[in-house]
């Protein structure tokens, strides 16, 4: 089976696309199939979040462009910048993956978190959009993420 062993940041002439939600885009090694049926083995050196618009380079030189599939999200807005930072702190304290924009935070839909945010004065809109969360703080400058928590200890009081 043909392999994809590396990626490129921008694609100019893709042979095909592969459309995946955020969870399915966080991979290292997996048999995959492009939207038009090209089968390949993703075989990266380490797990990473494949970003919308990146290209997976196949051994034969073809490039498969990664497309972020829209998924149910909440778009969280605040009354001002300080309030948005306070909401971001609350979400970060719960270790929730979040996509930060200039004036909003996008998170996965979760009715318990929605109730908390509304209780804190946030405006929460249900949207269907690609999810591209921020990367982690522990050696993940390329915006990959890791859900292990063995690297630090703290209280959730």
């Amino acid at each position: 089976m043909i392999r994809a062993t590396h990626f490129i940041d921008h694609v100019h002439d893709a042979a095909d696309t592969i459309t995946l939600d955020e969870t399915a885009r966080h991979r290292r090694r997996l048999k995959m199939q492009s939207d038009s049926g090209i089968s390949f083995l993703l075989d990266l050196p380490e797990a990473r979040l494949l970003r919308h618009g990146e290209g997976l380079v196949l051994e034969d030189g073809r490039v498969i462009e990664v497309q972020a599939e829209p998924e149910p999200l909440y778009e969280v807005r605040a009354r001002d910048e300080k309030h948005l930072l306070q909401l971001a702190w609350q979400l970060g304290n719960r270790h929730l993956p979040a996509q930060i924009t200039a004036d909003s935070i996008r998170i996965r839909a979760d009715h318990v978190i929605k109730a908390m945010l509304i209780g804190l004065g946030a405006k929460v809109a249900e949207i269907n959009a690609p999810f591209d969360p921020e990367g982690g703080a522990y050696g993940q400058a390329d915006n990959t993420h890791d859900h292990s928590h063995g690297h630090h200890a703290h209280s959730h009081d």
Side-chain angles (χ1 to χ4, degrees):
M1 172 173 283
I2 194 161
R3 297 180 318 144
T5 58
H6 65 282
F7 65 94
I8 55 176
D9 290 336
H10 303 290
V11 177
H12 298 289
D13 192 24
D16 200 0
T17 59
I18 187 164
T19 306
L20 305 164
D21 68 14
E22 187 269 339
T23 301
R25 286 184 288 123
H26 189 236
R27 298 287 176 222
R28 184 191 84 76
R29 191 166 199 271
L30 182 73
K31 182 179 175 185
M32 302 183 105
Q33 187 170 22
S34 71
D35 295 336
S36 294
I38 299 171
S39 292
F40 62 96
L41 176 66
L42 180 67
D43 193 10
L44 299 175
E46 58 188 29
R48 70 176 308 277
L49 178 61
L50 303 171
R51 300 287 181 180
H52 180 83
E54 290 181 337
L56 300 172
V57 181
L58 302 179
E59 291 172 312
D60 65 5
R62 292 179 293 171
V63 176
I64 307 296
E65 184 175 1
V66 176
Q67 299 289 311
E69 182 176 3
E71 53 190 294
L73 302 173
Y74 292 150
E75 187 166 67
V76 181
R77 295 190 181 271
R79 58 184 169 266
D80 57 34
E81 290 176 0
K82 182 179 179 186
H83 187 221
L84 189 64
L85 289 171
Q86 291 168 334
L87 296 171
W89 186 89
Q90 291 291 340
L91 294 169
N93 194 41
R94 285 155 182 80
H95 298 276
L96 296 175
Q99 180 178 347
I100 310 296
T101 72
D103 59 356
S104 70
I105 303 167
R106 289 182 176 180
I107 61 171
R108 284 194 180 96
D110 178 319
H111 70 280
V112 173
I113 298 300
K114 180 181 181 181
M116 176 200 73
L117 290 165
I118 290 170
L120 293 169
K123 294 177 183 169
V124 181
E126 295 181 16
I127 65 170
N128 200 38
F131 188 45
D132 201 21
E134 299 298 317
Y138 294 92
Q140 299 163 6
D142 66 353
N143 289 333
T144 61
H145 68 269
D146 170 339
H147 293 285
S148 67
H149 290 276
H151 54 264
H152 69 292
H154 65 274
S155 173
H156 285 275
D157 297 359

